[in-house]
Amino acid sequence: MKWVAVLAALSGAVAVAAGAFGAHAASGQAAEWLKTGGSYQLIHAVASLVAGRMEARMPAWLFVAGGAVFAGTLYLMALGLPRWLGAVTPAGGAMLIIGWLLLAWMALRR
């Protein structure tokens, strides 16, 4: 679980940087994408650390990967890349939802 912790910490740092960039250097839709991506990524960085401590490996990895895909596509669009990336964003959201459902199922089984 060392790599989950490393990636979660880096994810948290990127989330804070994206939020700060959105608050101070972006406007309009770009600022909203950065705010949304930063919020989701930061929440799921913490969730991946918690899941890792619970030895819930798959949810931890889903939180890291889903957060990267969900927030990453929003960040890229905020930076001016094509809006078709928005079609990929729900895949990251689905990973996050699956991670939460799997974590709940694993908690019930314990």
Side-chain angles (χ1 to χ4, degrees), residues 33 73 75-85:
W33 283 330
T73 54
Y75 299 158
L76 291 172
M77 290 190 306
L79 294 172
L81 271 71
R83 287 186 146 203
W84 64 260
L85 287 166

Side-chain angles (χ1 to χ4, degrees), residues 8-103:
L10 293 173
S11 181
V14 169
V16 172
F21 185 72
H24 301 290
S27 61
Q29 184 63 59
E32 288 299 314
W33 283 330
L34 290 164
K35 179 180 176 182
T36 300
S39 295
Y40 275 73
Q41 188 174 18
L42 188 57
I43 290 165
H44 288 90
V46 174
S48 64
L49 290 171
V50 171
R53 293 291 294 165
M54 293 173 59
E55 293 296 321
R57 296 181 194 287
M58 186 57 71
W61 282 110
L62 285 166
F63 293 149
V64 168
V69 172
F70 182 87
T73 54
L74 294 176
Y75 299 158
L76 291 172
M77 290 190 306
L79 294 172
L81 271 71
R83 287 186 146 203
W84 64 260
L85 287 166
V88 179
T89 307
M95 285 188 265
L96 298 174
I97 293 166
I98 293 167
W100 284 112
L101 294 172
L102 184 56
L103 187 62

